[in-house]
Amino acid sequence: ELAASPPGLAHAHRLVVLSDSIRLFHIDRHSLPRHMHAITRLLFLPLPGDAHSVRSVLLTAEEVTLLCGADDWWDEHARAAGDAWTPIRVGESSGTPLDEIGVIASTTLPLAAAGIPLLYHSTFTSDFTMVPSDAVRAAVRAFETQAFTVGHAAVAGLEERAGEPGPAAAAAAGEGSGWPR
């Protein structure tokens, strides 16, 4: 059994549960030219309704992996890896320092101790811990047990909403559509 974060390992960055769901998709590297237009549009020219907080493409010699919203279009052209995930931003929108040590460890240990799978994604200024959407409440409890401050934000402008999980988490928990509009 894994232990919780050792004393002093927890970082001081606030965790923010974002209100949308994302999925991981796989595209065969050989079919990339056929999908380039759609990938470019998804990343750089989003349409109204494409309000996903996290979008990413990773190309390796063998594959193309997309991390994006759970749009129906991708189901026809890519292989989805399981169910929806909910992103939890580590730190404020200004990001976390690139040279700070222990951020990933202190964020992942409470989830591992609680038996919650995760995906971790870092960018130049942002870190995201992604948990299965149906495990958001358990993840928040695991973080709060380790004295993390956890907030919630709507995706459109990432406005904070205190006290309630986002629509994706609420829907996964069977509690309707989430925040009132």
Side-chain angles (χ1 to χ4, degrees), residues 10 12 47 62-63 78 96 114 121 133 154 174 176:
L47 297 173
E62 298 83 26
E63 68 173 320
T96 55
H121 189 74
S133 292

Side-chain angles (χ1 to χ4, degrees), residues 26-42 57 64 66 73-74 76-79:
H26 170 268
I27 296 177
D28 180 56
R29 177 85 172 166
H30 301 294
S31 66
L32 180 61
R34 185 173 29 153
H35 301 297
M36 219 39 226
H37 176 74
I39 293 169
T40 301
R41 189 204 62 77
L42 172 76
V57 175
V64 178
L66 294 170
W73 185 91
W74 293 111
E76 296 176 28
H77 302 281
R79 185 176 49 168

Side-chain angles (χ1 to χ4, degrees), residues 13-163:
H13 300 291
R14 183 167 191 229
L15 302 177
V16 181
V17 179
L18 304 180
S19 65
D20 65 335
S21 291
I22 56 170
R23 289 180 58 202
L24 197 63
F25 293 94
H26 170 268
I27 296 177
D28 180 56
R29 177 85 172 166
H30 301 294
S31 66
L32 180 61
R34 185 173 29 153
H35 301 297
M36 219 39 226
H37 176 74
I39 293 169
T40 301
R41 189 204 62 77
L42 172 76
L43 293 175
F44 301 109
L45 304 168
L47 297 173
D50 283 351
H52 306 298
S53 59
V54 177
R55 297 181 192 125
S56 180
V57 175
L58 178 65
L59 282 78
T60 68
E62 298 83 26
E63 68 173 320
V64 178
T65 298
L66 294 170
L67 187 62
C68 60
D71 295 324
D72 293 338
W73 185 91
W74 293 111
D75 288 333
E76 296 176 28
H77 302 281
R79 185 176 49 168
D83 295 325
W85 296 76
T86 297
I88 301 172
R89 187 180 66 224
V90 178
E92 301 301 330
S93 59
S94 59
T96 55
L98 289 173
D99 60 351
E100 185 173 347
I101 297 170
V103 173
I104 296 172
S106 66
T107 306
T108 59
L109 283 174
L111 296 176
I116 300 170
L118 68 102
L119 297 172
Y120 202 90
H121 189 74
S122 293
T123 68
F124 190 80
T125 60
S126 301
D127 291 306
F128 294 92
T129 299
M130 289 163 268
V131 298
S133 292
D134 62 357
V136 170
R137 289 187 187 281
V140 168
R141 280 193 302 274
F143 288 133
E144 290 175 341
T145 298
Q146 295 298 311
F148 282 95
T149 301
V150 182
H152 302 275
V155 173
L158 298 180
E159 300 91 9
E160 298 279 333
R161 303 274 184 129

Side-chain angles (χ1 to χ4, degrees), residues 4-10 146:
S5 300
L9 184 60
Q146 295 298 311

Side-chain angles (χ1 to χ4, degrees), residues 161-180:
R161 303 274 184 129
E164 290 188 44
E175 297 179 6
S177 62
W179 296 314

